[in-house]
Amino acid sequence: MGEAVQRRFLGVTAALAALGMTATLSGCASGSGSGDVTLKFVAADYGTSAANTSETYWNNLARKFEEAHPGIKVDVHVYAWKDVDREVSEMVARNEAPDIAQIGAYADYAKKDKLYSADQMLAIRTQANFLPSLSDAGKVNGEQFGLPFIASTRLLFYNKKLFSEAGLDAPETWSDIKRDAARLKERGVRYPFALPLGPEESQAETLMWLLSGGGGYTDDVGGYDIDSPRNIATLTWLRDDLVGSGLTGPVAPGKLDRAKAFDAFTRGQVGMLNGHPTLMEDAEKEGVEVGMVPLPGVDGPSRGSMGVADWMMGFKQNEHRAEIGKFFDFAYEDENVLAFADEYDMLPVTDSASAQMETDARHKPLREFLAALPNSQFYPYAKTSWAQASEALKESIGTAVEPGGDPAGVLAEIARKATQAEQAE
């Protein structure tokens, strides 16, 4: 039994064992007396238009919850991703915190004692059902405040038609990437390997490569390790062997945003790039046959992949701990988790929903992403300084891999800013 399977088996076992326990931690919370309670719920919109806005999902879920829990109302407010974190921050600053928020970060609120911990809100079976790697990513000083809501992982995508025409197999090592990209360039492929290190989401692309080189943003004890020798070596390889060899296309990586790279892939202009489930679906709609493999490493496939998670949290201000817990227990039921994941091609964050997705033929295209999730590495979400560190990365990481760039110097400056922000917490 592999490590990922063992971890999932243990998580499911714990969750099933907990089902026999009648007491729940949320059941003994304050705020569960008589009288109606209205929970203000703020969420991010994962939709791309009015036709698939997340507001529809949350309004439907709220009505079902209200029917099952007389006396508790849910007032839903959905904002675009570019606005939602700021909106919640402003609400908290006005002393008008929502009861529940589904947003991108929780650590700052947890460190300011604005949030209930998971074990103050959730039934034991709900908390035990989260994938362990995601539970860990939601912890501050060993206590869980961020509840993972939805997740995604990344794989290396390649255009099967372009690879077949060039007589290439899927890459397994960095050397394979360089060889395949060179062959694709010879055949006139516009972006042999699309490397989006522009300001849109370069912190994600960077982390994927650092992990494949055996490094990352933090060390084994959670401290920043941005300018480690392994990270410098990874960016040096990108500078010299990929960018410097002219294998990344006509747009400099530091000027190439993820959206433009993804669009070029759906138009058949990209041989390889790092992608997520939504890109898979978009490409196949345009007739691009997609191959997917774990991101190659120096000597073989990487042992870990990058994961991304978004977060739920319960605010203390209105003292609705019990009602918040009941809503969370309802929202994390398998039917509801899978409905949202299906709508937006994302991955569930619970053991039981993941097990259902693995065995359902409808979800076969997502299985490779799902298999990567338990061992994925995440951003250092527990650090309030991560927001500043991420901005520093997006501003300058592209310059590290351009011809004549200075990987060591760029990483050292990013590390300095991250450490400075950490010390200011």
Side-chain angles (χ1 to χ4, degrees), residues 170-231:
E172 296 183 355
T173 67
W174 286 0
S175 295
D176 293 343
I177 288 177
K178 182 179 180 179
R179 178 205 63 209
D180 294 350
R183 183 79 61 83
L184 294 168
K185 181 183 179 181
E186 290 173 358
R187 296 181 61 83
V189 175
R190 183 171 175 82
Y191 294 91
F193 195 109
L195 185 67
L197 291 177
E200 182 187 357
E201 204 192 24
S202 52
Q203 79 279 13
E205 183 74 19
T206 301
L207 180 56
M208 286 182 262
W209 281 101
L210 298 186
L211 290 171
S212 75
Y217 290 141
T218 56
D219 57 26
D220 292 339
V221 295
Y224 282 122
D225 198 28
I226 293 170
D227 57 344
S228 70
R230 286 184 176 181
N231 291 347

Side-chain angles (χ1 to χ4, degrees), residues 90-291:
E90 291 176 354
M91 290 175 195
V92 174
R94 294 195 305 266
N95 206 32
E96 298 174 358
D99 294 288
I100 299 168
Q102 184 272 300
I103 52 178
Y106 64 86
D108 191 42
Y109 302 120
K111 291 186 176 180
K112 292 177 180 177
D113 197 29
K114 301 288 187 182
L115 304 180
Y116 291 119
S117 63
D119 59 7
Q120 289 177 310
M121 299 181 292
L122 304 181
I124 295 171
R125 64 180 178 271
T126 303
Q127 189 174 3
N129 200 19
F130 291 127
L131 292 167
S133 60
L134 287 162
S135 288
D136 289 343
K139 292 179 179 178
V140 174
N141 297 326
E143 190 170 14
Q144 186 178 358
F145 292 93
L147 312 182
F149 168 63
I150 206 74
S152 179
T153 54
R154 303 291 190 264
L155 296 172
L156 178 73
F157 285 27
Y158 63 95
N159 184 312
K160 282 189 173 182
K161 179 182 179 182
L162 295 179
F163 266 63
S164 176
E165 291 173 347
L168 299 173
D169 296 322
E172 296 183 355
T173 67
W174 286 0
S175 295
D176 293 343
I177 288 177
K178 182 179 180 179
R179 178 205 63 209
D180 294 350
R183 183 79 61 83
L184 294 168
K185 181 183 179 181
E186 290 173 358
R187 296 181 61 83
V189 175
R190 183 171 175 82
Y191 294 91
F193 195 109
L195 185 67
L197 291 177
E200 182 187 357
E201 204 192 24
S202 52
Q203 79 279 13
E205 183 74 19
T206 301
L207 180 56
M208 286 182 262
W209 281 101
L210 298 186
L211 290 171
S212 75
Y217 290 141
T218 56
D219 57 26
D220 292 339
V221 295
Y224 282 122
D225 198 28
I226 293 170
D227 57 344
S228 70
R230 286 184 176 181
N231 291 347
I232 294 170
T234 295
L235 294 190
T236 300
W237 185 87
L238 287 174
R239 181 195 66 187
D240 296 343
D241 290 71
L242 213 56
V243 181
S245 297
L247 302 178
T248 54
V251 181
K255 303 292 185 182
L256 182 64
D257 282 340
R258 182 191 65 171
K260 293 180 179 179
F262 281 14
D263 181 61
F265 188 81
T266 64
R267 286 185 276 112
Q269 298 177 342
V270 176
M272 295 172 276
L273 86 175
N274 295 316
H276 56 51
T278 304
L279 174 61
M280 173 189 67
E281 181 176 333
D282 290 346
E284 291 178 349
K285 285 179 180 177
E286 297 298 324
V288 176
E289 190 175 2
V290 182

Side-chain angles (χ1 to χ4, degrees), residues 25-36:
L25 293 174
S26 59
C28 62
S30 64
S32 58
S34 60
D36 288 351

